[in-house]
Amino acid sequence: MSIEYLHTMVRVKDLEKSKAFYELLGLEESRRMDNDKGRFTLLFMSPPGQENAAVEMTHNWDGDEGLPSDSRHFGHLAYRVDDIYAMCQKLMDAGVTINRPPRDGHMAFVRSPDNISIELLQRGDPLEPKEPWASMENTGHW
């Protein structure tokens, strides 16, 4: 018996705003399905060449008043990046709050526009600690 990872599903309130956030992380749209009868869109995004690591964003056309909630039962999405400092700077420059800065040169957490916790991990060995990250405090929670 085998098992294969398919995707992680998250509900989003503003599909285009969420898509732009995941594009900042380097993900690309790999598939989209609009369901007129059900009045929803499924948008799949994944790192280039890694369609098996997709995020499925479910957008209900008539809204979803429960979003964004702060329920923590979801957990988080995790992505490995080549340069955690460069990625965090790119996100900060785009107005994204770094909830848990990469003080250790290895791990950071941010949140999507829909309050989804995103873990960023440095590929390979941790980078040498450096400012402003080394002394940056946490903001909120992840």
Side-chain angles (χ1 to χ4, degrees):
M1 180 183 298
S2 67
I3 188 168
E4 178 184 3
Y5 174 80
L6 295 177
H7 62 265
T8 298
M9 186 278 269
V10 295
R11 295 188 188 281
V12 300
K13 191 168 189 168
D14 183 325
L15 187 61
E16 293 309 312
K17 188 174 182 180
S18 295
K19 180 182 178 187
F21 172 81
Y22 289 101
E23 286 174 339
L24 283 170
L25 292 175
L27 277 65
E28 299 174 346
E29 181 174 334
S30 55
R31 187 168 36 130
R32 181 187 291 245
M33 297 176 354
D34 293 316
N35 186 310
D36 293 328
K37 184 177 179 182
R39 301 194 47 74
F40 65 87
T41 297
L42 302 180
L43 174 64
F44 292 82
M45 297 187 72
S46 57
Q50 299 179 51
E51 285 74 28
N52 64 329
V55 172
E56 171 195 324
M57 289 182 276
T58 299
H59 176 253
N60 294 310
W61 300 351
D62 298 322
D64 189 336
E65 293 309 311
L67 295 177
S69 74
D70 194 26
S71 63
R72 303 211 8 114
H73 68 276
F74 167 74
H76 65 264
L77 301 174
Y79 295 99
R80 191 175 321 277
V81 298
D82 289 330
D83 184 330
I84 197 162
Y85 296 142
M87 176 59 76
C88 286
Q89 188 64 56
K90 176 182 176 180
L91 293 170
M92 267 184 38
D93 291 347
V96 175
T97 298
I98 308 299
N99 300 102
R100 194 277 192 194
R103 289 183 294 275
D104 55 5
H106 175 69
M107 178 180 68
F109 276 89
V110 298
R111 285 193 173 256
S112 77
D114 297 290
N115 214 22
I116 304 299
S117 185
I118 311 289
E119 178 183 23
L120 302 172
L121 295 169
Q122 173 63 40
R123 183 179 313 282
D125 294 331
L127 300 179
E128 288 294 320
K130 72 176 190 177
E131 295 299 336
W133 315 108
S135 60
M136 190 179 287
E137 295 292 321
N138 292 345
T139 302
H141 62 274
W142 57 92

Coordinates of all heavy atoms in Angstrom, one line a residue, residues 27-85:
L27 N 5.9 30.7 -5.6 CA 5.0 29.7 -6.1 C 4.3 30.2 -7.4 O 4.2 31.4 -7.6 CB 3.9 29.3 -5.1 CG 4.3 28.3 -4.1 CD1 5.4 28.8 -3.2 CD2 3.1 27.9 -3.2
E28 N 3.9 29.3 -8.3 CA 3.3 29.6 -9.5 C 2.0 28.9 -9.6 O 1.8 27.8 -9.1 CB 4.2 29.2 -10.7 CG 5.5 29.9 -10.7 CD 6.4 29.4 -11.8 OE1 6.1 28.3 -12.4 OE2 7.4 30.0 -12.1
E29 N 1.0 29.5 -10.3 CA -0.3 28.9 -10.5 C -0.1 27.6 -11.4 O 0.5 27.7 -12.5 CB -1.3 29.8 -11.2 CG -2.6 29.2 -11.5 CD -3.6 30.2 -12.0 OE1 -3.5 31.4 -11.7 OE2 -4.6 29.7 -12.7
S30 N -0.5 26.5 -11.0 CA -0.4 25.2 -11.7 C -1.7 24.7 -12.2 O -1.7 24.0 -13.2 CB 0.4 24.2 -10.9 OG -0.3 23.9 -9.7
R31 N -2.8 25.1 -11.6 CA -4.1 24.6 -12.0 C -5.2 25.5 -11.4 O -5.0 26.0 -10.3 CB -4.3 23.2 -11.6 CG -5.5 22.5 -12.1 CD -5.4 21.0 -11.9 NE -4.8 20.6 -10.6 CZ -5.3 19.7 -9.8 NH1 -6.5 19.2 -10.0 NH2 -4.7 19.4 -8.7
R32 N -6.3 25.7 -12.1 CA -7.4 26.5 -11.6 C -8.7 25.8 -12.1 O -8.8 25.5 -13.2 CB -7.3 27.9 -12.1 CG -8.5 28.8 -11.6 CD -8.5 30.2 -12.2 NE -7.3 31.0 -11.8 CZ -7.4 32.1 -11.1 NH1 -8.6 32.6 -10.7 NH2 -6.3 32.7 -10.8
M33 N -9.6 25.7 -11.2 CA -10.9 25.2 -11.5 C -12.0 26.1 -10.9 O -12.1 26.3 -9.7 CB -11.1 23.8 -10.9 CG -10.1 22.8 -11.4 SD -10.2 21.1 -10.7 CE -11.3 21.2 -9.4
D34 N -12.8 26.6 -11.8 CA -14.0 27.5 -11.4 C -15.2 26.6 -11.5 O -15.5 25.9 -12.5 CB -14.2 28.7 -12.4 CG -13.0 29.6 -12.2 OD1 -12.6 29.9 -11.1 OD2 -12.5 30.1 -13.3
N35 N -16.0 26.5 -10.4 CA -17.1 25.7 -10.3 C -18.4 26.6 -10.2 O -18.7 27.1 -9.1 CB -17.1 24.7 -9.1 CG -18.2 23.7 -9.0 OD1 -19.4 24.1 -9.1 ND2 -17.9 22.5 -8.9
D36 N -19.0 26.8 -11.3 CA -20.2 27.7 -11.4 C -21.3 27.2 -10.5 O -21.9 28.0 -9.8 CB -20.7 27.9 -12.8 CG -19.7 28.7 -13.7 OD1 -18.9 29.5 -13.1 OD2 -19.6 28.4 -14.9
K37 N -21.6 26.0 -10.5 CA -22.7 25.4 -9.8 C -22.4 25.5 -8.2 O -23.3 25.9 -7.5 CB -22.9 23.9 -10.1 CG -24.1 23.3 -9.4 CD -24.3 21.9 -9.9 CE -25.5 21.3 -9.2 NZ -25.7 19.9 -9.6
G38 N -21.2 25.2 -7.8 CA -20.9 25.3 -6.4 C -20.5 26.7 -6.0 O -20.3 27.0 -4.8
R39 N -20.3 27.6 -6.9 CA -19.9 29.0 -6.7 C -18.6 29.1 -5.9 O -18.5 29.8 -4.9 CB -21.0 29.8 -6.0 CG -22.3 29.8 -6.9 CD -23.3 30.7 -6.5 NE -22.8 32.1 -6.3 CZ -22.5 33.0 -7.2 NH1 -22.5 32.6 -8.5 NH2 -22.1 34.2 -6.8
F40 N -17.5 28.4 -6.4 CA -16.2 28.5 -5.8 C -15.1 28.3 -6.8 O -15.4 27.8 -7.9 CB -16.0 27.4 -4.7 CG -16.1 26.0 -5.1 CD1 -14.9 25.4 -5.5 CD2 -17.3 25.3 -5.1 CE1 -14.9 24.0 -5.9 CE2 -17.3 24.0 -5.5 CZ -16.1 23.3 -5.9
T41 N -13.9 28.7 -6.5 CA -12.7 28.5 -7.3 C -11.7 27.8 -6.5 O -11.5 28.0 -5.3 CB -12.2 29.9 -7.8 OG1 -13.1 30.5 -8.6 CG2 -10.9 29.7 -8.6
L42 N -11.1 26.8 -7.2 CA -9.9 26.1 -6.6 C -8.7 26.6 -7.4 O -8.6 26.4 -8.6 CB -10.0 24.6 -6.7 CG -11.3 24.0 -6.0 CD1 -11.2 22.5 -6.2 CD2 -11.3 24.3 -4.6
L43 N -7.7 27.2 -6.7 CA -6.5 27.6 -7.4 C -5.3 26.9 -6.7 O -5.1 26.9 -5.5 CB -6.3 29.1 -7.2 CG -5.0 29.7 -7.7 CD1 -4.9 29.6 -9.2 CD2 -4.9 31.2 -7.2
F44 N -4.6 26.1 -7.6 CA -3.5 25.4 -7.1 C -2.2 26.1 -7.5 O -2.0 26.5 -8.6 CB -3.4 24.0 -7.8 CG -4.6 23.1 -7.3 CD1 -5.8 23.2 -7.9 CD2 -4.3 22.1 -6.3 CE1 -6.8 22.4 -7.5 CE2 -5.4 21.3 -5.9 CZ -6.6 21.4 -6.5
M45 N -1.3 26.3 -6.5 CA 0.0 26.9 -6.7 C 1.1 26.1 -6.1 O 0.9 25.5 -5.0 CB 0.0 28.3 -6.1 CG -1.0 29.3 -6.7 SD -0.9 30.9 -6.1 CE 0.7 31.4 -6.9
S46 N 2.2 26.0 -6.8 CA 3.3 25.2 -6.3 C 4.6 25.8 -6.8 O 4.7 26.6 -7.7 CB 3.2 23.8 -6.9 OG 3.1 23.8 -8.3
P47 N 5.7 25.4 -6.1 CA 7.0 25.8 -6.6 C 7.3 25.3 -8.0 O 6.8 24.2 -8.3 CB 8.0 25.1 -5.6 CG 7.2 24.8 -4.4 CD 5.8 24.5 -4.9
P48 N 8.0 26.0 -8.8 CA 8.3 25.6 -10.2 C 8.8 24.1 -10.2 O 9.7 23.8 -9.5 CB 9.3 26.5 -10.7 CG 9.1 27.8 -9.8 CD 8.7 27.3 -8.5
G49 N 8.2 23.3 -11.0 CA 8.6 21.9 -11.2 C 8.2 21.0 -10.0 O 8.7 19.9 -10.0
Q50 N 7.4 21.5 -9.1 CA 7.1 20.7 -7.9 C 5.6 20.7 -7.7 O 5.0 21.0 -6.7 CB 7.7 21.2 -6.7 CG 9.2 21.2 -6.7 CD 9.8 21.8 -5.4 OE1 9.4 21.4 -4.3 NE2 10.7 22.8 -5.6
E51 N 4.8 20.3 -8.8 CA 3.4 20.3 -8.7 C 2.9 19.4 -7.6 O 1.7 19.5 -7.2 CB 2.8 19.9 -10.1 CG 2.9 21.0 -11.1 CD 4.3 21.2 -11.7 OE1 5.1 20.3 -11.7 OE2 4.6 22.4 -12.1
N52 N 3.7 18.4 -7.2 CA 3.3 17.5 -6.1 C 3.3 18.2 -4.7 O 2.9 17.6 -3.7 CB 4.1 16.3 -6.1 CG 5.6 16.6 -5.8 OD1 6.1 17.6 -6.1 ND2 6.2 15.6 -5.1
A53 N 3.8 19.4 -4.7 CA 3.8 20.2 -3.4 C 2.9 21.4 -3.5 O 3.3 22.5 -3.2 CB 5.3 20.6 -3.1
A54 N 1.7 21.2 -3.9 CA 0.8 22.3 -4.2 C 0.0 22.7 -3.0 O -0.3 22.0 -2.1 CB -0.2 21.9 -5.3
V55 N -0.3 24.0 -3.0 CA -1.3 24.6 -2.1 C -2.6 24.8 -2.9 O -2.6 25.4 -3.9 CB -0.8 26.0 -1.5 CG1 -1.9 26.6 -0.7 CG2 0.4 25.8 -0.7
E56 N -3.7 24.2 -2.4 CA -5.0 24.4 -3.0 C -5.7 25.5 -2.2 O -6.0 25.4 -1.1 CB -5.8 23.2 -3.0 CG -7.2 23.4 -3.4 CD -8.1 22.2 -3.0 OE1 -7.7 21.1 -3.0 OE2 -9.3 22.5 -2.7
M57 N -5.9 26.7 -2.9 CA -6.7 27.7 -2.3 C -8.1 27.6 -2.7 O -8.4 27.6 -3.9 CB -6.1 29.1 -2.7 CG -4.7 29.4 -2.1 SD -4.1 31.0 -2.5 CE -3.4 30.6 -4.1
T58 N -9.0 27.5 -1.7 CA -10.4 27.4 -2.0 C -11.1 28.8 -1.7 O -11.0 29.3 -0.6 CB -11.1 26.4 -1.1 OG1 -10.5 25.1 -1.4 CG2 -12.6 26.3 -1.4
H59 N -11.7 29.4 -2.8 CA -12.3 30.7 -2.7 C -13.8 30.5 -2.9 O -14.2 30.1 -4.0 CB -11.7 31.7 -3.6 CG -12.3 33.0 -3.6 ND1 -13.2 33.4 -4.6 CD2 -12.3 34.0 -2.7 CE1 -13.6 34.6 -4.3 NE2 -13.1 35.0 -3.2
N60 N -14.6 30.8 -1.9 CA -16.1 30.8 -2.1 C -16.5 32.1 -2.6 O -16.3 33.2 -2.0 CB -16.7 30.4 -0.7 CG -16.4 29.0 -0.3 OD1 -16.5 28.1 -1.1 ND2 -16.0 28.9 0.9
W61 N -17.2 32.1 -3.8 CA -17.5 33.4 -4.4 C -18.5 34.3 -3.6 O -18.4 35.5 -3.7 CB -18.2 33.1 -5.8 CG -17.3 32.3 -6.7 CD1 -16.0 32.0 -6.6 CD2 -17.8 31.8 -8.0 NE1 -15.6 31.3 -7.7 CE2 -16.6 31.1 -8.5 CE3 -19.0 31.7 -8.6 CZ2 -16.7 30.5 -9.8 CZ3 -19.0 31.1 -9.9 CH2 -17.9 30.5 -10.4
D62 N -19.3 33.6 -2.8 CA -20.3 34.4 -2.0 C -19.7 34.8 -0.6 O -20.4 35.3 0.2 CB -21.5 33.6 -1.8 CG -22.2 33.3 -3.1 OD1 -22.2 34.2 -4.0 OD2 -22.7 32.2 -3.3
G63 N -18.4 34.7 -0.5 CA -17.7 35.1 0.8 C -17.7 34.0 1.8 O -18.3 32.9 1.6
D64 N -16.9 34.2 2.8 CA -16.8 33.3 3.9 C -16.5 34.2 5.1 O -15.3 34.5 5.4 CB -15.6 32.3 3.6 CG -15.5 31.2 4.6 OD1 -16.0 31.4 5.8 OD2 -14.9 30.2 4.3
E65 N -17.5 34.5 5.9 CA -17.4 35.4 7.0 C -16.5 34.9 8.1 O -16.0 35.7 8.9 CB -18.8 35.8 7.5 CG -19.6 36.6 6.5 CD -18.9 37.8 6.0 OE1 -18.3 38.6 6.7 OE2 -18.9 37.9 4.7
G66 N -16.2 33.6 8.1 CA -15.3 33.1 9.1 C -13.8 33.4 8.9 O -12.9 33.1 9.7
L67 N -13.5 34.0 7.7 CA -12.1 34.3 7.3 C -11.8 35.7 7.5 O -12.7 36.6 7.2 CB -11.9 33.8 5.9 CG -12.0 32.3 5.6 CD1 -11.8 32.1 4.1 CD2 -10.9 31.6 6.4
P68 N -10.6 36.1 7.8 CA -9.6 35.2 8.3 C -9.8 35.0 9.8 O -10.0 36.0 10.5 CB -8.3 36.0 8.0 CG -8.7 37.4 8.1 CD -10.1 37.5 7.6
S69 N -9.8 33.8 10.2 CA -9.9 33.5 11.6 C -8.5 33.2 12.1 O -7.6 33.0 11.4 CB -10.9 32.3 11.8 OG -10.2 31.1 11.4
D70 N -8.4 33.0 13.4 CA -7.1 32.7 14.0 C -7.1 31.3 14.5 O -6.4 31.0 15.5 CB -6.8 33.7 15.1 CG -5.4 33.7 15.5 OD1 -4.5 33.3 14.7 OD2 -5.1 34.0 16.6
S71 N -7.9 30.4 13.9 CA -7.9 29.0 14.4 C -6.5 28.4 14.1 O -6.0 28.6 13.0 CB -9.0 28.2 13.7 OG -8.8 28.1 12.3
R72 N -6.0 27.7 15.1 CA -4.7 27.2 14.9 C -4.7 25.7 14.7 O -3.7 25.0 14.7 CB -3.8 27.5 16.2 CG -3.8 29.0 16.4 CD -2.7 29.7 17.0 NE -1.5 29.0 17.2 CZ -0.3 29.3 16.6 NH1 -0.3 30.2 15.7 NH2 0.8 28.7 17.0
H73 N -5.9 25.1 14.4 CA -6.0 23.7 14.2 C -5.3 23.3 12.8 O -5.0 22.2 12.6 CB -7.4 23.2 14.2 CG -8.2 23.8 13.0 ND1 -8.8 25.0 13.1 CD2 -8.5 23.2 11.8 CE1 -9.5 25.2 11.9 NE2 -9.3 24.2 11.2
F74 N -5.2 24.3 11.9 CA -4.6 24.0 10.6 C -3.1 23.6 10.8 O -2.6 22.7 10.1 CB -4.7 25.2 9.7 CG -3.9 25.1 8.5 CD1 -4.2 24.2 7.5 CD2 -2.7 25.8 8.4 CE1 -3.4 24.1 6.4 CE2 -1.9 25.7 7.3 CZ -2.2 24.8 6.3
G75 N -2.3 24.3 11.5 CA -0.9 24.1 11.6 C -0.2 25.1 10.7 O -0.4 26.3 10.9
H76 N 0.6 24.7 9.8 CA 1.3 25.6 8.9 C 1.8 24.9 7.6 O 1.8 23.7 7.5 CB 2.6 26.2 9.6 CG 3.6 25.2 9.9 ND1 3.7 24.7 11.2 CD2 4.6 24.7 9.2 CE1 4.7 23.8 11.2 NE2 5.3 23.8 10.0
L77 N 2.1 25.7 6.6 CA 2.8 25.3 5.4 C 4.3 25.5 5.6 O 4.7 26.5 6.3 CB 2.3 26.1 4.2 CG 0.8 26.1 3.9 CD1 0.5 27.0 2.7 CD2 0.4 24.7 3.5
A78 N 5.1 24.6 5.1 CA 6.5 24.8 5.2 C 7.2 24.8 3.8 O 6.9 23.9 3.0 CB 7.1 23.7 6.1
Y79 N 8.1 25.7 3.6 CA 8.9 25.8 2.4 C 10.4 26.0 2.7 O 10.7 26.7 3.6 CB 8.4 27.0 1.5 CG 7.0 26.8 1.0 CD1 6.0 27.4 1.7 CD2 6.7 26.0 -0.1 CE1 4.7 27.3 1.2 CE2 5.5 25.8 -0.5 CZ 4.4 26.5 0.1 OH 3.1 26.3 -0.3
R80 N 11.2 25.3 2.0 CA 12.7 25.4 2.1 C 13.1 26.5 1.1 O 12.6 26.5 -0.1 CB 13.4 24.1 1.8 CG 14.8 24.1 2.1 CD 15.5 22.7 1.9 NE 14.7 21.6 2.3 CZ 14.5 21.1 3.6 NH1 15.2 21.7 4.6 NH2 13.8 20.1 3.8
V81 N 14.0 27.4 1.5 CA 14.4 28.5 0.6 C 15.9 28.6 0.5 O 16.6 28.1 1.4 CB 13.8 29.9 1.1 CG1 12.3 29.9 1.1 CG2 14.4 30.2 2.5
D82 N 16.4 29.1 -0.6 CA 17.9 29.2 -0.8 C 18.6 30.2 0.2 O 19.7 30.0 0.6 CB 18.2 29.5 -2.2 CG 17.9 28.4 -3.1 OD1 18.0 27.2 -2.7 OD2 17.6 28.6 -4.3
D83 N 17.9 31.3 0.4 CA 18.5 32.4 1.3 C 17.4 32.9 2.1 O 16.6 33.8 1.7 CB 19.1 33.5 0.4 CG 19.8 34.5 1.2 OD1 19.4 34.8 2.4 OD2 20.8 35.1 0.7
I84 N 17.3 32.5 3.4 CA 16.2 32.9 4.2 C 16.2 34.4 4.5 O 15.1 35.0 4.6 CB 16.2 32.1 5.6 CG1 14.8 32.2 6.2 CG2 17.3 32.5 6.5 CD1 14.6 31.2 7.3
Y85 N 17.4 35.0 4.6 CA 17.4 36.5 4.8 C 16.9 37.2 3.6 O 16.1 38.2 3.7 CB 18.9 36.9 5.1 CG 19.4 36.4 6.4 CD1 20.8 36.0 6.4 CD2 18.7 36.2 7.5 CE1 21.3 35.5 7.6 CE2 19.2 35.7 8.7 CZ 20.6 35.3 8.7 OH 21.1 34.8 9.9

